[in-house]
Every structure is written in structure tokens, then in C-alpha cells.
Amino acid sequence: MAGFKTLDDIGNIDGKRVLVRVDLNVPVAGGKVTDATRIERIAPTIAELSGKGAKVILLAHFGRPKDGPSPEFSLEPIAKATAEVLGRPVGFAADCIGDAAASAVAAMNNGDVLLLENTRFYKGEEKNDPDFTEKLAANGDIFVNDAFSAAHRAHSSTEGLAHLLPAFAGRTMQAELDALEKGLGNPARPVVAIVGGAKVSSKIDLLMNLVKKVDALVIGGGMANTFLAARGTDVGKSLCEHDLANTAKQIMIEAAEAGCAVILPIDGVVAREFKAGAASETVAISEVPADTMILDVGEKTVKTVADWIDRGATLVWNGPLGAFEIEPFDRATVAAAKHAAARTKAGKLISVAGGGDTVAALNHAGVADDFTYVSTAGGAFLEWMEGKPLPGVDVLKR
Ligand SMILES: Nc1ncnc2c1ncn2[C@@H]1O[C@H](COP(=O)(O)OP(=O)(O)OP(=O)(O)O)[C@@H](O)[C@H]1O
Ligand SMILES: O=C(O)[C@H](O)COP(=O)(O)O
């Protein structure tokens, strides 16, 4: 891989403490990991480092905790799931810095794997605070970043550490960048993007540039509601960031100037409760009852999405079209995923999808293997697509 050092360059690491940034921000329901793709993808790096006799110390975040440590955002259950997927013991330390981390690391044998508690339990992580970074670095001799899906964050564990320790890209980081370059470096046109999901505030800005790179942008999921509301459509109690209406309007203007079609839902599946089997109905998007939430796009929109997929030579997809974890709100995502998979299998489409929940949705639809490439990254993948520098990758190139 041009530009940075990989595990091929790491040399003798027998007995060395290797801090490995991984992305264990996996979908969880009822305390159980519902999609283990991100864990499976880090297995090669862990096996390689452990096989060379390193003490493998995993650093990761989970969710977006606001007020320090809380059981809801603990990585402890994920350590168990990681051990199951890797088929080997994975220790757990109840803190990522300080005595708990230091003593767990000191007790490691060569080849052992240890996961440290959520780095986001400290405010210093997201601030990339040098003091916090130093405390993380105290437990390692070498830094490996295998979290491509968190590489758009300039945090202590994704960026800061690479300034303090010899830094290398892990196998997944390397494979993700290679695959994205191959599939999307010079994409066949027209390029159709589908963006959905729930991370509206953290992804809406990047749509401003994305509309200049793609020929059509299909917006679904929670993201669509903010655009619908900006256009004056009443979205009832739906997930919607009304204060981003001006951003949404500006994106629609930029898209028109760039010649990028923006496709919004024309119908939606609405319900009064966000739970499995909740009574639901499909309504025109202009007729969403005030006391309901749009939890999926409707059949007419699915047909439109399929038509746009058919017009594309390349499909880029991040974010499900609905709350796919809960039936029946998985229908549109499953139908669109199957449609894209069939076009790909027929050799008519290059399809690249990414994101923690997006991968889970494709697995739920049973078609992840039929896509040209499935990235573990959502936001990072879209930022890469935009052409934005990714701090976690750039720092490895220093
Ligand atoms: N209409 C909707 N209302 C509420 N939630 C929705 C709706 N549509 C989709 N979602 C939720 O969006 C979530 C996924 O969004 P998200 O932006 O996190 O995607 P992702 O693929 O995980 O990307 P990343 O890896 O960047 O997190 C799912 O949990 C899904 O239930
Ligand atoms: O799920 C993701 O996209 C990554 O783990 C990054 O998570 P974040 O959006 O909370 O930074």
C-alpha cells in the first residue's frame, strides 16, 4: 500500500505491546451483538500480531456516551462477542487508561489479546487531548490502526496515538482502502448514491460535496425527514432535525447546480410506536398523520429507488431506508438491497455499500455477498467518497 507502513513493515514484535485501534461499534439488541461483521474483519490483524508474539491491546469506542462511564456503553459484552468470533480468549480491562489498564496489560503473556474499556468514556478522546493520548500511549510500544470506519474522526485513539508511537495500518484498513480505490476510484457513470439511516447531523454536511460527485442522490431513512421538512412537508413525530432545514435546502440548491438529481420519498410507512409489530399504514408523504412517525419508505418509493438503481452503473449506499431492525419496517431496505444485488449479479451494476447498520441490513436481506464490495465504514466511507482527507489515514502517511 502506497503512502504508509503496513504490518509487512512492522518487524520483530515478539513481546511488544501493540495498541490496536479497532471499530467495535457494532449493532447490539438486548445486550447481544446482532451483526458481527466488524469483529470478523479485524480478525486477520489480531491473528497476525498475536502469532508474532505481540501483546495485542485493543482500543475501541462504543456509541456516543455523553457523560463519562455508563454500563449502557460498556465494551464488556463486546469483549465476550469478540472472543466468540475470534475463537480465543479476549481479556477485558474496566478502563482504557490508569491503573486498571496498566495492571491488565502487565499481566498479559505474549500473544494474548486484551480489550480496554470504551475510549469515549473520557472527553479527551474526542478532543484529541494530548494528555489523554499520552495516557493511552503509556500502555503500548507500537500503534496499529485497523479502524478504517473511524478514520474520519481525529480522536486520540484514531489520530493522536500515531504521533507518539511507531504507527502502522492494519490489514482491514489496508484492504478497505484498496477495495474502495478499485471499485470507486474512477467509477463507471452514472453514479447513484443512496443515503439513509439516522446519523443526520453528523452526515448531512458531507452531502453538500457528495452531490458534486454523484449523478443522483436517493435520500431515505431518518435522513429524508429533514429534507422533507425543509421542503415544507409535515413529517409528524418522525426523527427529524428541523434546525438543519437550511443545510438541507442548500444541499438541494448545490445538487441542482451540479446536475445531481435528488430523490426524496413519495410515500412512507407510518406508525405510532417504534416497536415490532406496531400497527402501521402506508400513506402519501403529504399525508403523514401528526401523531405518527415515518419508519420506512413506502412501496411507490421503493419502485422509484429500484428505477434509479437501474439507471446507475455504480451504486454507493450508506444508511438503511427504514428502521430495518424492526419488522415490518425492514421491507424497503430489503427490497432495494435485493434489487441492487440482482443487478450486480447480472453484471449490470458495481455496488458498494458501507456502514455498521447498513452491513447488518444487507446481511438481514441475505445479499451482502452479492454486492461488489461491502465496507465496514459508513461516515468514513462517505467522506472518502467526497474526497475529504481522513485524519486517521493521513497521520499514518506522515
Ligand atoms: N425512518 C427512520 N426513523 C428512525 N430511524 C431510522 C429510520 N430509518 C433508518 N433508521 C435507523 O438508522 C440506523 C442506521 O443509521 P446509521 O446512519 O447509523 O447507518 P450506518 O450504516 O450504521 O452508518 P455508520 O456506520 O456511519 O454508523 C438504524 O438503526 C435504523 O433503525
Ligand atoms: O459507526 C461508525 O460509523 C463509526 O464507528 C464511527 O462512529 P461515530 O459516528 O460515532 O464517530
Side-chain angles (χ1 to χ4, degrees):
M1 161 71 56
F4 51 66
K5 291 182 179 158
T6 70
L7 299 193
D8 294 332
D9 309 298
I10 205 163
N12 181 5
I13 50 170
D14 193 29
K16 295 259 172 70
R17 302 167 305 160
V18 182
L19 287 171
V20 188
R21 179 52 157 102
V22 290
D23 191 349
L24 294 177
N25 198 22
V26 290
V28 170
K32 292 255 176 299
V33 173
T34 53
D35 188 274
T37 307
R38 282 183 170 169
I39 306 178
E40 287 157 9
R41 296 278 184 98
I42 56 171
T45 292
I46 295 171
E48 185 169 345
L49 295 171
S50 167
K52 287 182 172 169
K55 295 170 181 167
V56 184
I57 304 150
L58 306 178
L59 289 172
H61 75 279
F62 183 59
R64 294 175 171 175
K66 294 228 168 358
D67 305 309
S70 80
E72 187 195 347
F73 294 109
S74 174
L75 277 168
E76 191 163 8
I78 316 281
K80 292 195 187 94
T82 305
E84 274 165 33
V85 172
L86 300 182
R88 62 187 303 157
V90 174
F92 179 74
D95 204 343
C96 61
I97 57 172
D99 291 344
S103 53
V105 171
M108 291 174 84
N109 293 313
N110 293 1
D112 280 357
V113 182
L114 172 73
L115 172 63
L116 304 184
E117 183 57 288
N118 196 341
T119 50
R120 288 193 185 169
F121 282 172
Y122 289 90
K123 292 216 179 329
E125 162 71 343
E126 289 176 66
K127 291 184 181 149
N128 204 354
D129 170 50
D131 288 342
F132 177 69
T133 312
E134 266 182 38
K135 287 178 184 157
L136 288 177
N139 289 313
D141 306 303
I142 290 172
F143 174 58
V144 170
N145 192 344
D146 212 23
F148 172 69
S149 43
H152 55 321
R153 308 289 179 219
H155 295 174
S156 285
S157 68
T158 59
E159 203 270 349
L161 275 174
H163 294 277
L164 299 185
L165 298 173
F168 302 85
R171 294 297 180 202
T172 287
M173 171 74 89
Q174 197 183 348
E176 291 263 23
L177 287 163
D178 280 346
L180 290 181
E181 190 54 48
K182 198 164 152 232
L184 299 176
N186 185 15
R189 293 207 168 258
V191 180
V192 176
I194 301 179
V195 176
K199 287 184 178 172
V200 181
S201 54
S202 67
K203 286 185 189 163
I204 197 166
D205 282 337
L206 56 85
L207 299 185
M208 203 81 83
N209 283 330
L210 198 67
V211 294
K212 294 170 197 154
K213 305 265 174 185
V214 303
D215 302 296
L217 172 64
V218 177
I219 310 181
M223 182 69 88
N225 302 335
T226 300
F227 283 80
L228 291 167
R231 208 183 58 179
T233 304
D234 187 350
V235 295
K237 290 190 168 165
S238 305
L239 171 75
C240 178
E241 310 229 8
H242 292 278
D243 52 334
L244 293 173
N246 284 339
T247 310
K249 280 185 198 158
Q250 191 57 36
I251 290 165
M252 291 194 266
I253 292 169
E254 300 275 343
E257 280 171 10
C260 170
V262 175
I263 299 96
L264 290 174
I266 48 177
D267 57 356
V269 183
V270 299
R272 285 174 181 80
E273 291 171 290
F274 194 107
K275 68 171 197 197
S280 61
E281 58 174 327
T282 302
V283 297
I285 215 67
S286 54
E287 286 164 17
V288 173
D291 61 343
T292 65
M293 294 168 274
I294 308 167
L295 291 176
D296 198 8
V297 302
E299 271 171 34
K300 288 187 181 143
T301 306
V302 172
K303 169 93 184 51
T304 310
V305 174
D307 287 347
W308 278 98
I309 291 173
D310 290 350
R311 289 189 213 183
T314 303
L315 173 70
V316 176
W317 186 352
N318 169 247
L321 294 173
F324 76 96
E325 302 93 334
I326 305 172
E327 285 179 9
F329 310 110
D330 58 340
R331 281 192 196 145
T333 305
V334 168
K338 286 190 170 163
H339 190 80
R343 296 276 303 171
T344 309
K345 274 172 86 174
K348 292 179 178 154
L349 184 72
I350 306 278
S351 53
V352 182
D357 289 302
T358 306
V359 176
L362 297 188
N363 282 329
H364 173 69
V367 296
D369 292 342
D370 298 329
F371 272 58
T372 310
Y373 182 65
V374 176
S375 171
T376 58
F381 160 50
L382 290 180
E383 291 197 22
W384 179 91
M385 184 74 203
E386 260 188 290
K388 248 175 121 175
L390 301 178
V393 175
D394 276 14
V395 72
L396 296 175
K397 295 183 179 164
R398 281 182 333 128

